[in-house]
Amino acid sequence: MSHGFLPNEFQNSDKIDERIGLDLTLSAMGMAFCSHRLMPLIVDNDDNNWSRRFFEEETRDNKRPKRTINGGNSDGGMSRNGSNGSLSSLSSLQFRDHILTYSKRYLAAEAVEEAAAAAAAMAAGYEENGVEEDETAYGMRLVQLLIACAEAVACRDKSHASTLLSELRANALVFGSSFQRVASCFVQGLADRLASVQPPGTAVGRVQLPPVMNIMDIISDSDKKQEAFRLVYEICPHIKFGHFIANLAILEAFEGESLVHVVDLGMTLGLPQGHQWRHLIQSLAVTRGGAGKPHCTRLRITAVGLCIDRFEVIGKDLKTYAKSMGINLEFNIVESNLENLKPENIKVSDDEVLVVNSILQLHCVVKESRGALNSVLQMIHELSPKLLVLVEQDSSHNGPFFLGRFMEALHYYSAIFDSLDAMLPKYDTRRAKMEQFYFAEEIKNIVSCEGADRVERHERVDQWRRRMSRAGFQATPLRLMSQAKQWLGNNKVCEGYTVVEDKGCLVLGWNAKPIVAVSCWKC
């Protein structure tokens, strides 16, 4: 930021000379009498949505001082012996008179502007119960506090971090602006990490949990969290987009085959009713031409994971649905996490076509040593599937340094919370449930956990290309852009979501910020 916290009125000395006849410079005026407004800062040309969350002062906007968050710079003092001698040549009375005149003009102009803005808001149908808080003004201070707190936590400075957390808790509101809400989730993560901080020289991290498949295994004991996950599936397009593109790729692999087999790693996160496979069954049941015969005579689905009770319910429901569609479905369950899964656990027939399906799963075995993921990929390679479908969050939350992960996660989840703002009213309880009982769990895992506890290790699609290539897989380009765009339109997905092709992968994003990527691989 080029001018620190200088007020807008004093960032152009020529303009001030013209209006009040004073030869004043920026250095002479300092931080007097009125505050600044803030506007988005684009910090990365490739990620324009970052501008919605990180902020810098606006140098041309004339607004009266806004209420600032506790801890902001409120110093109204000014040096009378600046580098420019013109200020010292004025008497204090003359100077105050000039400032009073300028302030009256400033407030009068703002009154007209705010009246026009209020009228425009009413015409657009917005109902306001008072003056809406300036989100950008709060945002800049929240960003500064969050980064400062993360630095203090990283340095294990409990005293300073605790002070910053207290201030953050007072201003990062669960029902505030989108950035205040996302900040509240990061505050929870920072508080958890600070609670686990040990003196320098000891490891950071909580007591290790048993091996898990994904974040849902950790939070599955709460009905509220299960309800939040259901809402995420129904309202956000991320998982449904992955299911749709994955099914199109699977159907292509199954074309002309009568015996087909899908190994589902994690059973699509244990979603009720097995949504992805109901749609696949429906598509497979479509008759081929006028022959009246289905695409396949037998579909086998193998669910891999730890939520056995949930899988049994899903399997029973899918069998009933498949029978009604004329499909012979065989449903198997393998109780295992990915790291312990062996090729012999999967029953594979020589006469069937095999596809492996991974929806938001493989990032959970990306460890610091890489051995766990390599082992899983080697196991999949030994199964010799015709296709491996990979759907993953497209962000870098697994870097070697905590602060880097923190900033990447703040960028990523700010975009998601921004999209929720566009899809749901401000005080919608569904949004609060999704944010606090689903996305907040991911954020806390990224921010507060280390070692085996940290399962949310999202990586960018380029990194996945390198990992898959080293494991012996070859990319299979997805040529489904037209279908993906048609899906966005047919499902009335909120304006702002886009689909782009990235070297054969399809990436769903919010205002150019990547959210989830789909890629396909063959042995």
Side-chain angles (χ1 to χ4, degrees):
M1 292 173 287
S2 59
H3 301 304
F5 282 90
L6 290 176
N8 299 325
E9 291 76 33
F10 304 124
Q11 293 195 18
N12 188 325
S13 59
D14 293 335
K15 183 176 181 180
I16 297 175
D17 290 343
E18 177 183 345
R19 296 189 64 169
I20 62 175
L22 295 175
D23 181 19
L24 302 175
T25 64
L26 293 175
S27 59
M29 294 308 297
M31 295 188 62
F33 301 110
C34 61
S35 71
H36 58 287
R37 277 182 60 90
L38 303 171
M39 68 177 295
L41 165 65
I42 298 177
V43 300
D44 188 339
N45 291 333
D46 295 328
D47 293 320
N48 291 334
N49 199 45
W50 196 225
S51 64
R52 294 178 176 274
R53 297 293 164 254
F54 293 117
F55 307 84
E56 187 174 22
E57 60 194 27
E58 182 180 16
T59 60
R60 295 292 183 268
D61 204 10
N62 288 328
K63 292 286 184 180
R64 87 165 155 251
K66 300 289 184 180
R67 178 170 61 89
T68 59
I69 292 176
N70 292 337
N73 191 337
S74 59
D75 184 11
M78 180 189 68
S79 171
R80 293 180 178 273
N81 296 314
S83 58
N84 190 320
S86 60
L87 181 58
S88 59
S89 67
L90 294 172
S91 69
S92 60
L93 180 60
Q94 289 175 316
F95 180 77
R96 286 196 295 270
D97 288 342
H98 281 296
I99 290 298
L100 179 60
T101 300
Y102 183 78
S103 297
K104 288 180 178 179
R105 295 176 182 175
Y106 167 80
L107 295 174
E110 189 206 26
V112 174
E113 185 175 346
E114 286 193 346
M122 293 179 63
Y126 294 103
E127 295 180 2
E128 300 292 342
N129 297 320
V131 179
E132 187 175 341
E133 293 180 343
D134 188 344
E135 177 182 350
T136 54
Y138 284 103
M140 183 59 190
R141 183 59 183 163
L142 277 178
V143 169
Q144 293 174 326
L145 288 172
L146 281 170
I147 295 174
C149 187
E151 290 174 343
V153 172
C155 294
R156 306 186 185 187
D157 185 347
K158 282 194 170 186
S159 176
H160 186 44
S162 298
T163 300
L164 293 169
L165 280 172
S166 296
E167 187 172 351
L168 281 164
R169 287 192 180 101
N171 296 289
L173 307 177
V174 174
F175 279 102
S177 67
S178 64
F179 192 77
Q180 286 175 310
R181 299 195 314 273
V182 77
S184 73
C185 298
F186 280 87
V187 168
Q188 296 173 44
L190 287 171
D192 288 349
R193 189 178 183 93
L194 183 64
S196 69
V197 164
Q198 303 298 325
T202 58
V204 177
R206 294 180 287 188
V207 176
Q208 288 195 352
L209 300 171
V212 296
M213 285 288 291
N214 52 62
I215 195 69
M216 293 308 296
D217 291 334
I218 298 175
I219 68 176
S220 60
D221 59 340
S222 168
D223 291 339
K224 289 183 178 180
K225 291 169 182 177
Q226 285 296 316
E227 171 69 6
F229 183 48
R230 182 187 65 81
L231 291 171
V232 169
Y233 180 79
E234 292 177 356
I235 295 173
C236 300
H238 315 155
I239 301 175
K240 285 189 287 189
F241 174 79
H243 284 178
F244 174 74
I245 300 300
N247 278 357
L248 289 181
I250 292 171
L251 286 170
E252 284 188 1
F254 285 168
E255 188 174 359
E257 303 291 340
S258 58
L259 303 177
V260 294
H261 185 183
V262 177
V263 174
D264 188 6
L265 306 181
M267 195 57 195
T268 57
L269 306 176
L271 280 164
Q273 290 85 44
H275 294 290
Q276 180 179 2
W277 306 128
R278 291 176 73 91
H279 293 144
L280 182 70
I281 290 168
Q282 186 178 25
S283 298
L284 289 172
V286 174
T287 56
R288 185 181 301 167
K293 296 180 180 180
H295 280 290
C296 70
T297 58
R298 188 200 70 193
L299 168 65
R300 181 188 294 182
I301 295 178
T302 297
V304 178
L306 301 174
C307 305
I308 303 303
D309 293 341
R310 197 180 308 162
F311 291 171
E312 288 176 348
V313 173
I314 293 172
K316 183 178 180 180
D317 182 69
L318 287 176
K319 283 183 178 180
T320 302
Y321 182 72
K323 185 176 181 179
S324 70
M325 301 297 290
I327 296 292
N328 178 20
L329 173 63
E330 179 183 331
F331 190 88
N332 301 312
I333 299 174
V334 176
E335 184 178 6
S336 175
N337 63 354
L338 292 181
E339 294 179 55
N340 296 326
L341 187 64
K342 306 297 181 184
E344 53 267 26
N345 298 142
I346 310 295
K347 298 178 181 179
V348 180
S349 300
D350 294 336
D351 57 349
E352 68 184 9
V353 175
L354 177 67
V355 168
V356 176
N357 183 73
S358 176
I359 308 292
L360 310 183
Q361 294 295 313
L362 287 186
H363 71 263
C364 300
V365 289
V366 178
K367 308 297 184 182
E368 288 89 346
S369 65
R370 303 183 189 174
L373 178 63
N374 291 341
S375 179
V376 172
L377 292 178
Q378 182 180 359
M379 181 277 302
I380 295 174
H381 202 280
E382 290 182 23
L383 292 173
S384 299
K386 185 175 182 180
L387 195 69
L388 166 61
V389 182
L390 181 64
V391 179
E392 286 292 343
Q393 294 94 335
D394 189 17
S395 192
S396 181
H397 300 155
N398 193 42
F401 303 108
F402 166 68
L403 286 177
R405 296 198 307 268
F406 182 90
M407 297 298 291
E408 285 282 349
L410 187 60
H411 185 184
Y412 179 82
Y413 287 100
S414 292
I416 290 179
F417 278 52
D418 190 38
S419 71
L420 293 174
D421 253 7
M423 290 187 287
L424 295 171
K426 183 174 182 179
Y427 294 104
D428 196 309
T429 56
R430 294 175 298 170
R431 185 174 66 182
K433 289 179 181 178
M434 289 187 289
E435 292 175 347
Q436 293 299 313
F437 295 117
Y438 181 76
F439 291 117
E441 294 297 327
E442 290 188 345
I443 292 170
K444 287 189 291 183
N445 189 263
I446 293 169
V447 173
S448 67
C449 296
E450 293 296 347
D453 287 355
R454 182 156 59 87
V455 297
E456 295 302 308
R457 296 173 175 264
H458 312 142
E459 294 189 329
R460 295 194 183 279
V461 68
D462 284 340
Q463 181 66 16
W464 279 110
R465 288 193 188 97
R466 290 188 286 270
R467 291 188 182 278
M468 300 300 290
S469 177
R470 286 196 297 263
F473 288 89
Q474 296 178 338
T476 299
L478 286 167
R479 298 180 176 87
L480 302 170
M481 177 62 80
S482 61
Q483 294 95 318
K485 289 183 176 180
Q486 185 178 8
W487 180 86
L488 284 180
N490 292 344
N491 287 270
K492 299 180 181 178
V493 176
C494 177
E495 184 178 354
Y497 275 102
T498 58
V499 179
V500 298
E501 189 273 337
D502 183 356
K503 299 178 183 178
C505 304
L506 290 182
V507 181
L508 178 72
W510 170 256
N511 289 335
K513 171 61 184 173
I515 300 296
V516 66
V518 186
S519 59
C520 289
W521 306 88
K522 62 182 180 180
C523 295

